[in-house]
Structures are given as structure tokens and as C-alpha cells.
Amino acid sequence: MNTIVKLALIVYLFFFFGNVHAQEFKGEATYKSKRQIDIKLDSTQMDTGMQQQVMSMLKKQFEKTHILTFNKDESVYKEEESLGSPNPQGMEMVMIGSGGSDILYKNIKEKRKINQTETFSKMFLIKDDLKEHEWVLQPDTKNIGEYTCFKATMTREIEEMQSAISFNGYKDLNEDETTIPKMKTITITAWYTPQIPVSAGPAGYHGLPGLILETNDGSQTIICSKITINPKKSNDIIEPTKGKEVTQKEYDAILEKKLKEMEERYRPSGRGDGESIEIRIGG
């Protein structure tokens, strides 16, 4: 019996026997996420002290804690509330596309998702189909806490430029908006445990024969730090309903329009009163 067949059998047995106890249960998992950023700030546009403040703010922006509440069919992924850091004096910083969401609801059984997110002070309710990921199960295993985890990978095409920074409407990375973005293929690695037999996972990840406890896409790492099965008190798994209902395609068009409006607003020929920094993160 080869390694892949053995792995498939082990996963099946975990899932089958665990599923007997999974019919009426609820779980809550805490995830910590970090993103590597590679942004070079121009010393001619801000002094060293301001650069340190900006980079410190960026680091905190990409270190988040989320709570995933799940059962065998549904899940809700929500960022843990925390006080935001104040912007440096005289500067407005706008984070765009940082990869987070206010509330992400997924229904594995019905293959649909709802993302309730606030963008430019307006609430949106983005409804879309839950796409299947083309995971490839690997023979590797490791322990995360008390859980035995198995490795799975998949590839995805993304824009090669993952981050961009602009000052008052001007791209600091010599970005040519008239060119077609270059694409590159990245490998996403996930670690899942069949000991918790649900297909849920953090952020946009799902579809494995066990709860996903860790993911890494080369720039962002998400790892589970705590799991509670059938907690006495937990968040309810409720579909979000607040916001303007749009499709993903409609939301993307709205976002692009708003970005163009911001660039016009902060051009030097406009108001010109103070600094504005716009950060775009792809993926």
C-alpha cells in the first residue's frame, strides 16, 4: 500500500468515526494572522521618524486575531474587536484590500458565502458561490497543539505586484496603470486535522476533510492558537444581513471606482492640505 493510499485511508477513518460525534456539535477556533510586507518608503517624502511610525502601523494592521465559530455545515469568521492605532499627526492612511473582512459566513452544504464588510464608511453584503479549492493531499504530518495535522497544497495565480504605496495620488513604485498586470503562480500550504471532521477553515480557506488549523501563501500566515469544542458560551452562527447587497463582481467595480476617485482627490493640484498614504495589498 503506497503512502498516498495510506494517507487517504487514515483521513477517511478519522472522518468516518469522528463524524458519529459531529452531527450535533459546535466549535470555536482562534486564529492569529501575520503578513510579510516589503515596502520601501522614500526618504525624500518623509523623515526617518515618520517612516518608523508608518511601518509600525503597517505591522499592527497585518497582525490580526479572528474567531471562527463552526458546525458541520456552517461557519462564521469574525475579527476580534480591538482599538485601532492613531494615525501619525497630519497624515491620513487608507488601507485597501488587506485581505480581512468584518464578517465572513460560509455554508459548506449549500456552497455559498456572504461577506459583510465596511469599505469607505459604507457597509456591503457580498454574496457569492463558495468555490471549490483544488487541494492536493500530501503525506506530510505534524502536530499543532494536541491535534495531528495533515498537509495539503494548491496553486493559485495572483498579480505579481502584491503591494503598492502612493503618496498624494502618485505611485511610489513606478506603476504603469496602462499595462496588463503580470501574473505569477503561488503555492498555498494548509494543515488540517481530521480529528475535527468539518470542512471549515479560516478566511477563504475550506474544503478539506478536517478543520484547517494553519495556512501559508508565501506572504501571509494564519495559525490556530486555541480550539474549544462545544463551548458553554460562543458566538451564534448567523448569516450577516446588514449592508448593500452586491455580487463579488459588482463590489470589485465599486472598489475600483472609489480608488480612482481617491487618487484624483489627493493629487497635488487638489486640496494639498496634508499627507495621504494609500496602501494596496493584492491576493
Side-chain angles (χ1 to χ4, degrees):
M1 187 180 295
N2 63 41
T3 304
I4 296 298
V5 173
K6 289 181 180 178
L7 170 62
L9 180 60
I10 292 171
V11 170
Y12 173 78
L13 291 175
F14 264 125
F15 193 83
F16 178 80
F17 288 111
N19 203 37
V20 174
H21 305 284
Q23 297 302 316
E24 298 296 336
F25 89 108
K26 188 177 182 181
E28 196 168 87
T30 302
Y31 291 87
K32 307 284 186 180
S33 64
K34 292 184 178 182
R35 182 186 288 271
Q36 296 178 350
I37 55 174
D38 183 17
I39 297 177
K40 297 179 181 180
L41 302 178
D42 190 345
S43 60
T44 64
Q45 300 195 44
M46 61 172 63
D47 59 33
T48 302
M50 185 66 74
Q51 289 186 42
Q52 291 175 347
Q53 283 184 289
V54 171
M55 294 308 294
S56 176
M57 287 180 61
L58 289 176
K59 183 179 179 181
K60 291 180 180 179
Q61 283 287 339
F62 296 123
E63 292 180 352
K64 296 180 179 295
T65 300
H66 286 78
I67 305 297
L68 178 73
T69 306
F70 59 89
N71 58 32
K72 65 185 181 69
D73 294 327
E74 303 171 282
S75 67
V76 169
Y77 189 65
K78 186 175 182 180
E79 184 178 348
E80 193 173 63
E81 294 184 8
S82 61
L83 294 176
S85 302
N87 289 340
Q89 185 175 2
M91 179 176 292
E92 179 181 0
M93 180 174 288
V94 181
M95 303 298 297
I96 301 168
S98 60
S101 62
D102 293 6
I103 301 175
L104 177 60
Y105 167 86
K106 289 186 283 189
N107 190 310
I108 300 295
K109 185 177 181 180
E110 298 177 1
K111 297 182 179 181
R112 60 187 179 88
K113 65 179 180 178
I114 303 174
N115 184 357
Q116 179 179 287
T117 183
E118 185 175 356
T119 305
F120 297 110
S121 301
K122 186 172 183 178
M123 192 68 72
F124 290 92
L125 200 65
I126 308 167
K127 295 188 176 183
D128 203 357
D129 295 331
L130 198 61
K131 297 178 181 178
E132 293 186 7
H133 298 311
E134 296 182 356
W135 293 109
V136 178
L137 303 185
Q138 306 290 348
D140 312 64
T141 64
K142 73 173 183 178
N143 289 335
I144 297 180
E146 62 186 83
Y147 296 96
T148 300
C149 295
F150 294 83
K151 183 179 180 180
T153 59
M154 69 172 171
T155 58
R156 176 183 295 170
E157 277 201 339
I158 61 171
E159 290 186 22
E160 189 170 4
M161 182 59 68
Q162 283 295 283
S163 61
I165 185 167
S166 66
F167 293 84
N168 296 324
Y170 284 107
K171 296 295 181 297
D172 197 43
L173 300 176
N174 298 319
E175 180 183 353
D176 184 356
E177 296 182 356
T178 64
T179 61
I180 299 175
K182 293 182 180 180
M183 306 299 290
K184 71 175 182 179
T185 301
I186 62 170
T187 298
I188 298 168
T189 300
W191 293 90
Y192 65 96
T193 177
Q195 291 172 260
I196 305 177
V198 298
S199 295
Y205 301 110
H206 55 271
L208 284 168
L211 180 67
I212 299 173
L213 300 190
E214 181 179 336
T215 66
N216 186 291
D217 64 3
S219 63
Q220 185 184 51
T221 299
I222 305 174
I223 187 166
C224 182
S225 60
K226 179 182 178 182
I227 300 174
T228 306
I229 301 299
N230 293 325
K232 293 182 179 179
K233 292 183 179 180
S234 68
N235 298 320
D236 292 328
I237 303 177
I238 300 175
E239 297 184 31
T241 58
K242 185 179 179 181
K244 179 182 178 180
E245 186 173 325
V246 295
T247 64
Q248 187 65 54
K249 185 176 181 180
E250 290 170 337
Y251 175 77
D252 292 342
I254 292 170
L255 183 59
E256 188 61 32
K257 182 180 178 181
K258 289 291 185 182
L259 293 179
K260 291 180 179 178
E261 290 176 356
M262 281 191 62
E263 290 176 2
E264 291 296 328
R265 175 187 173 191
Y266 288 112
R267 289 188 188 280
S269 57
R271 298 185 330 177
D273 52 347
E275 295 284 349
S276 167
I277 297 182
E278 171 192 318
I279 309 290
R280 298 195 196 192
I281 302 294

